[in-house]
Amino acid sequence: MLLVIYLYWTRSILITLKRIQITVLVDKMSQDEPMTIATLGSHSALQILKGAKDEGFGTLLICEENRHSLYKRFRFIDEILTISHYDELLDSRCKQRLDNTKSIIIPHGTMIAYFTYRDIENISVPIFGNRKIFQWESDRNLKQKLMNASQLITPKLIQRKEDIDKLCIVKLHGAAGGRGYFLAWNKESFEENATSLLNQRRIRSEDDLFIQEYVIGVPTYLQFFYSPLNRQIEFLGADIRYESDIDSIGRIPAKQQLSISLQPSYNVIGNLPLVLRESLLEGVYVMGERFVKASEELVPPGMIGPFCLEGVYDKEGIFTTFEFSARIVAGTNLYINGSPYSELIYDEPMSMGRRIAHEIRIAKEKGFLNQVFT
Ligand code: AMP
């Protein structure tokens, strides 16, 4: 017992020290000194760095060797630091280059998928956003707690495979991008697919799976930005994911669907734009604001910057939220030149990537960098 208290206490002290260290580092980034925006080469890196350049920042991309040839095609990337694996982001060579270029990191889905929340909490370079909230994104129980505190309608959770009595979607933990998800309608269909994932070593036990009621309607991703500087929420876009194989199954006539034993996956291949009925917009803002308020209470300092509420609109226009992302989502890549919603707020093309850089620029000019970095 004493050992547990000691370990907990030591960890809390280390986290506090890290926080002080980051605050000092951010304070040192004076108003006139140039600053670099850095990110990992994947997910929404092009959008983030293009936006950073448009707002006048230097840009640094940290990418794996096999992606270098892609990223070197883009002139808005000032420097590419090549690594052999993402893990090297945590090494001293990367840290030194990030320090020397006065860089800050913009996190995205690949960072959340590859690193543990502890790794992210421990990175000793300033991160845009609230680094503590990534644990709430990765851990399904915390995620549910935050969605409940935000008073969002969420799908029913099924705790035991024996209780599956209607169509359910079974998910893996973490930001897997829909890979390996499957549908189950009873215990047997659950076990059949779980066994296949076990055989492929995608999961260690059935406990690694998470069962949710399947909600019928239009799967929709709502893209928000919250500015801690002006304490306002902006709804900047919506999208639909196009997923393999589930979205292509409708191209095969029913007779052939039945003749092949296909268990479709939900692997995201790309995103399609979506404009919502105007009558749904008020509800969108209310959900976003509740989420911001709940995150302020549960994970101080709360939401900073981009986030996404992910769910399904049913035939009554009611939104059931099945997930959230507490950082930029790849669906925003659709709107590099601005979206129908950003057009209503800004007089210039404002992608989510640029909106992040814009916030950093304003915070820098006003001396409030510590409000947007942790
Ligand atoms: P996710 O990776 O959790 O965003 O989900 C991947 C895909 O699974 C989504 O685009 C939806 O098509 C589908 N999905 C996830 N959860 C549900 C749900 N509870 N009901 C219906 N579809 C879902």
Side-chain angles (χ1 to χ4, degrees), residues 140 143 155-156 168-169 171 174-179 181 183 212-217 219-221 240-243 246-247 266-268 310-312 320-323 325:
R140 293 235 178 241
K143 183 173 250 181
K156 194 173 153 215
C168 291
I169 182 159
K171 304 181 173 188
R179 275 174 75 92
Y181 288 12
L183 296 180
Q212 244 179 22
E213 166 196 7
Y214 188 89
V215 185
I216 294 183
T220 304
Y221 292 70
I240 294 185
R241 290 177 171 182
Y242 207 69
E243 295 157 342
I246 190 69
D247 286 319
Y266 289 75
N267 191 19
V268 185
E310 314 177 355
V312 175
T320 302
T321 311
F322 55 69
E323 300 273 345
S325 297

Coordinates of all heavy atoms in Angstrom, one line a residue, residues 140 143 155-156 168-169 171 174-179 181 183 212-217 219-221 240-243 246-247 266-268 310-312 320-323 325, ligand 1:
R140 N -11.5 4.0 -23.1 CA -12.9 4.0 -23.4 C -13.8 4.3 -22.2 O -14.8 5.0 -22.4 CB -13.3 2.6 -23.9 CG -12.7 2.3 -25.3 CD -13.8 2.0 -26.3 NE -13.2 1.7 -27.6 CZ -13.4 2.4 -28.7 NH1 -14.3 3.4 -28.6 NH2 -12.9 2.1 -29.8
K143 N -13.5 8.1 -21.7 CA -14.2 8.7 -22.8 C -15.7 8.7 -22.6 O -16.3 9.8 -22.8 CB -13.9 7.8 -24.1 CG -14.5 8.4 -25.4 CD -14.0 7.6 -26.6 CE -13.0 8.4 -27.4 NZ -12.5 7.7 -28.6
P155 N -24.6 5.7 -27.5 CA -25.2 4.4 -27.8 C -25.1 3.5 -26.5 O -24.2 3.7 -25.7 CB -24.3 3.7 -28.8 CG -23.4 4.8 -29.3 CD -23.4 5.9 -28.3
K156 N -26.1 2.6 -26.4 CA -26.1 1.7 -25.2 C -24.8 0.9 -25.3 O -24.4 0.4 -26.3 CB -27.3 0.9 -25.3 CG -27.6 0.1 -24.0 CD -29.0 -0.6 -24.1 CE -28.9 -1.8 -23.2 NZ -29.6 -2.9 -23.7
C168 N -25.1 -4.9 -32.9 CA -24.1 -4.2 -32.2 C -22.9 -4.0 -33.1 O -22.6 -4.8 -34.0 CB -23.6 -5.0 -31.0 SG -24.9 -5.1 -29.8
I169 N -22.1 -3.0 -32.8 CA -20.8 -2.8 -33.4 C -19.7 -3.1 -32.4 O -19.8 -2.6 -31.2 CB -20.7 -1.4 -34.1 CG1 -19.3 -1.3 -34.8 CG2 -20.9 -0.3 -33.2 CD1 -19.3 -0.2 -35.9
K171 N -15.8 -2.9 -31.2 CA -14.6 -2.1 -31.5 C -13.4 -2.5 -30.8 O -13.5 -3.0 -29.7 CB -15.0 -0.6 -31.2 CG -16.2 -0.1 -31.8 CD -16.4 1.4 -31.5 CE -17.6 1.9 -32.3 NZ -17.7 3.4 -32.0
G174 N -8.5 2.3 -28.7 CA -7.6 3.2 -29.3 C -8.0 3.8 -30.6 O -9.1 3.4 -31.2
A175 N -7.2 4.7 -31.2 CA -7.6 5.3 -32.5 C -7.2 4.4 -33.6 O -6.2 4.6 -34.4 CB -6.9 6.7 -32.6
A176 N -8.0 3.4 -33.8 CA -7.6 2.4 -34.8 C -8.1 2.7 -36.2 O -7.9 2.0 -37.2 CB -8.2 1.0 -34.4
G177 N -8.9 3.8 -36.3 CA -9.4 4.2 -37.6 C -10.4 3.2 -38.2 O -10.6 3.1 -39.4
G178 N -11.1 2.5 -37.3 CA -12.2 1.6 -37.7 C -11.7 0.2 -38.2 O -12.5 -0.7 -38.5
R179 N -10.4 0.0 -38.2 CA -9.8 -1.3 -38.6 C -10.2 -2.4 -37.6 O -10.1 -2.2 -36.4 CB -8.3 -1.3 -38.7 CG -7.8 -0.7 -40.0 CD -6.3 -0.6 -39.8 NE -5.6 -1.9 -39.9 CZ -5.2 -2.4 -41.0 NH1 -5.3 -1.8 -42.2 NH2 -4.6 -3.6 -41.0
Y181 N -13.1 -3.5 -36.7 CA -14.4 -3.4 -36.1 C -15.3 -4.5 -36.8 O -15.1 -4.8 -38.0 CB -15.1 -2.0 -36.4 CG -14.5 -0.9 -35.6 CD1 -13.3 -1.0 -34.9 CD2 -15.2 0.3 -35.6 CE1 -12.9 0.1 -34.2 CE2 -14.7 1.4 -34.9 CZ -13.5 1.3 -34.2 OH -13.0 2.4 -33.5
L183 N -19.6 -6.4 -36.9 CA -21.0 -6.3 -36.4 C -21.3 -7.7 -35.8 O -20.8 -8.7 -36.2 CB -21.9 -6.1 -37.6 CG -21.8 -4.8 -38.3 CD1 -22.8 -4.7 -39.4 CD2 -22.0 -3.6 -37.3
Q212 N -20.9 -1.9 -28.6 CA -21.8 -0.8 -28.6 C -23.0 -1.1 -29.4 O -22.9 -1.8 -30.4 CB -21.1 0.4 -29.3 CG -20.9 1.6 -28.4 CD -20.2 2.7 -29.2 OE1 -20.2 2.8 -30.5 NE2 -19.5 3.6 -28.5
E213 N -24.2 -0.6 -29.0 CA -25.4 -0.7 -29.8 C -25.1 -0.1 -31.1 O -24.5 1.0 -31.2 CB -26.5 0.0 -29.0 CG -27.7 0.3 -29.8 CD -28.6 1.4 -29.1 OE1 -28.2 2.0 -28.1 OE2 -29.7 1.6 -29.6
Y214 N -25.6 -0.7 -32.2 CA -25.4 -0.1 -33.6 C -26.6 0.9 -33.8 O -27.7 0.6 -33.7 CB -25.4 -1.2 -34.6 CG -25.1 -0.6 -36.0 CD1 -23.8 -0.6 -36.4 CD2 -26.1 -0.1 -36.9 CE1 -23.4 0.0 -37.7 CE2 -25.7 0.4 -38.1 CZ -24.4 0.4 -38.5 OH -24.1 1.0 -39.7
V215 N -26.2 2.2 -34.1 CA -27.2 3.2 -34.3 C -27.4 3.4 -35.8 O -26.5 3.6 -36.5 CB -26.8 4.5 -33.7 CG1 -27.9 5.6 -33.8 CG2 -26.4 4.3 -32.2
I216 N -28.7 3.3 -36.2 CA -29.0 3.4 -37.7 C -29.2 4.9 -38.0 O -30.0 5.6 -37.3 CB -30.1 2.5 -38.1 CG1 -29.7 1.1 -37.9 CG2 -30.6 2.7 -39.5 CD1 -30.6 0.0 -38.3
G217 N -28.6 5.3 -39.1 CA -28.8 6.7 -39.5 C -27.6 7.2 -40.3 O -26.9 6.3 -41.0
P219 N -23.9 8.4 -40.4 CA -22.7 8.7 -39.6 C -22.1 10.0 -39.9 O -21.8 10.3 -41.1 CB -21.7 7.5 -39.9 CG -22.5 6.6 -40.7 CD -23.7 7.3 -41.3
T220 N -21.9 10.9 -38.9 CA -21.5 12.3 -39.2 C -20.3 12.7 -38.2 O -20.4 12.3 -37.0 CB -22.7 13.2 -39.0 OG1 -23.7 12.8 -39.8 CG2 -22.3 14.6 -39.3
Y221 N -19.4 13.4 -38.7 CA -18.3 13.9 -37.9 C -18.3 15.4 -37.9 O -18.3 16.0 -38.9 CB -16.9 13.4 -38.5 CG -16.8 11.8 -38.4 CD1 -17.7 11.0 -39.1 CD2 -16.0 11.3 -37.5 CE1 -17.6 9.6 -39.0 CE2 -15.9 9.9 -37.3 CZ -16.8 9.1 -38.0 OH -16.8 7.7 -37.8
I240 N -18.3 12.9 -43.8 CA -18.7 11.5 -43.7 C -17.4 10.7 -44.1 O -16.7 11.1 -45.0 CB -19.8 11.2 -44.7 CG1 -21.0 11.9 -44.4 CG2 -20.0 9.7 -44.8 CD1 -22.2 11.6 -45.2
R241 N -17.2 9.6 -43.4 CA -16.0 8.8 -43.8 C -16.4 7.8 -44.8 O -17.6 7.4 -44.8 CB -15.5 8.0 -42.6 CG -14.8 8.9 -41.5 CD -14.5 8.0 -40.4 NE -13.7 8.7 -39.5 CZ -13.2 8.1 -38.4 NH1 -13.4 6.9 -38.1 NH2 -12.4 8.8 -37.5
Y242 N -15.5 7.5 -45.7 CA -15.8 6.4 -46.7 C -14.9 5.3 -46.3 O -13.6 5.4 -46.3 CB -15.5 7.0 -48.1 CG -16.3 6.2 -49.1 CD1 -17.7 6.4 -49.1 CD2 -15.8 5.3 -50.0 CE1 -18.5 5.7 -50.0 CE2 -16.6 4.6 -50.9 CZ -17.9 4.8 -50.9 OH -18.7 4.1 -51.7
E243 N -15.5 4.2 -45.9 CA -14.8 3.1 -45.3 C -14.9 1.8 -46.1 O -15.9 1.4 -46.6 CB -15.4 2.9 -43.9 CG -15.2 4.1 -43.0 CD -16.2 4.1 -41.8 OE1 -17.2 3.5 -41.9 OE2 -15.9 4.9 -40.9
I246 N -17.2 -1.6 -45.7 CA -18.7 -1.4 -45.5 C -19.4 -0.5 -46.5 O -20.5 -0.7 -46.9 CB -18.9 -0.9 -44.0 CG1 -20.4 -0.9 -43.6 CG2 -18.4 0.5 -43.8 CD1 -20.9 -2.3 -43.4
D247 N -18.7 0.6 -47.0 CA -19.3 1.5 -47.8 C -19.4 1.0 -49.3 O -20.1 1.6 -50.1 CB -18.6 2.9 -47.8 CG -19.0 3.6 -46.5 OD1 -20.1 3.5 -46.1 OD2 -18.1 4.2 -45.9
Y266 N -14.3 -1.5 -41.2 CA -14.7 0.0 -41.2 C -13.4 0.8 -41.4 O -13.3 1.9 -40.8 CB -15.4 0.3 -39.9 CG -16.8 -0.3 -39.8 CD1 -16.9 -1.6 -39.6 CD2 -17.9 0.5 -40.1 CE1 -18.2 -2.2 -39.5 CE2 -19.1 -0.1 -40.0 CZ -19.3 -1.4 -39.8 OH -20.5 -2.0 -39.7
N267 N -12.5 0.3 -42.2 CA -11.2 0.9 -42.3 C -11.4 2.2 -43.2 O -11.8 2.1 -44.3 CB -10.2 -0.1 -43.0 CG -8.8 0.4 -43.0 OD1 -8.5 1.3 -42.2 ND2 -8.0 -0.1 -43.9
V268 N -11.0 3.4 -42.6 CA -11.2 4.6 -43.3 C -10.3 4.7 -44.5 O -9.0 4.6 -44.4 CB -10.9 5.8 -42.4 CG1 -11.3 7.1 -43.1 CG2 -11.7 5.7 -41.1
E310 N -18.3 12.6 -32.9 CA -18.5 11.6 -33.9 C -19.7 10.8 -33.6 O -19.8 10.2 -32.5 CB -17.3 10.7 -34.0 CG -16.0 11.6 -34.0 CD -14.7 10.9 -33.9 OE1 -14.6 9.7 -33.9 OE2 -13.7 11.6 -34.0
G311 N -20.7 10.8 -34.5 CA -21.9 10.0 -34.2 C -22.8 9.8 -35.4 O -22.4 9.9 -36.5
V312 N -24.1 9.6 -35.1 CA -25.1 9.2 -36.1 C -26.3 10.1 -35.9 O -26.8 10.2 -34.8 CB -25.5 7.7 -35.9 CG1 -26.5 7.3 -36.9 CG2 -24.2 6.8 -36.1
T320 N -26.7 10.8 -32.0 CA -26.1 9.9 -30.9 C -24.6 9.9 -31.1 O -24.1 9.5 -32.2 CB -26.7 8.5 -31.1 OG1 -28.1 8.6 -31.0 CG2 -26.1 7.6 -30.0
T321 N -23.9 10.3 -30.1 CA -22.4 10.5 -30.2 C -21.8 9.1 -29.8 O -21.9 8.7 -28.7 CB -21.9 11.6 -29.2 OG1 -22.7 12.7 -29.4 CG2 -20.4 11.9 -29.5
F322 N -21.0 8.5 -30.7 CA -20.4 7.3 -30.3 C -18.9 7.4 -30.0 O -18.3 6.6 -29.3 CB -20.6 6.1 -31.4 CG -20.2 6.4 -32.8 CD1 -18.8 6.6 -33.1 CD2 -21.1 6.6 -33.8 CE1 -18.5 6.8 -34.4 CE2 -20.8 6.8 -35.1 CZ -19.4 7.0 -35.4
E323 N -18.3 8.6 -30.3 CA -16.9 8.8 -30.0 C -16.6 10.3 -30.0 O -17.4 11.1 -30.5 CB -16.0 8.3 -31.2 CG -16.0 6.8 -31.5 CD -15.1 6.0 -30.7 OE1 -14.2 6.6 -30.0 OE2 -15.3 4.8 -30.6
S325 N -12.9 12.9 -30.7 CA -11.5 13.1 -30.8 C -11.1 14.4 -30.2 O -11.8 15.4 -30.6 CB -11.0 13.0 -32.3 OG -11.4 11.8 -32.8
Ligands
AMP1 P1 -14.9 5.1 -35.3 O1 -13.6 4.6 -35.7 O2 -15.3 4.7 -33.9 O3 -15.2 6.5 -35.6 O4 -16.0 4.3 -36.2 C1 -15.8 3.8 -37.5 C2 -17.1 3.7 -38.2 O5 -17.9 2.8 -37.5 C3 -17.9 4.9 -38.3 O6 -17.7 5.7 -39.4 C4 -19.4 4.4 -38.3 O7 -19.7 4.1 -39.7 C5 -19.3 3.2 -37.6 N1 -19.8 3.3 -36.2 C6 -19.1 3.4 -35.0 N2 -19.8 3.3 -34.0 C7 -21.1 3.2 -34.4 C8 -22.4 3.0 -33.7 N3 -22.5 3.0 -32.4 N4 -23.5 2.9 -34.5 C9 -23.4 2.9 -35.9 N5 -22.2 3.0 -36.5 C10 -21.1 3.1 -35.8

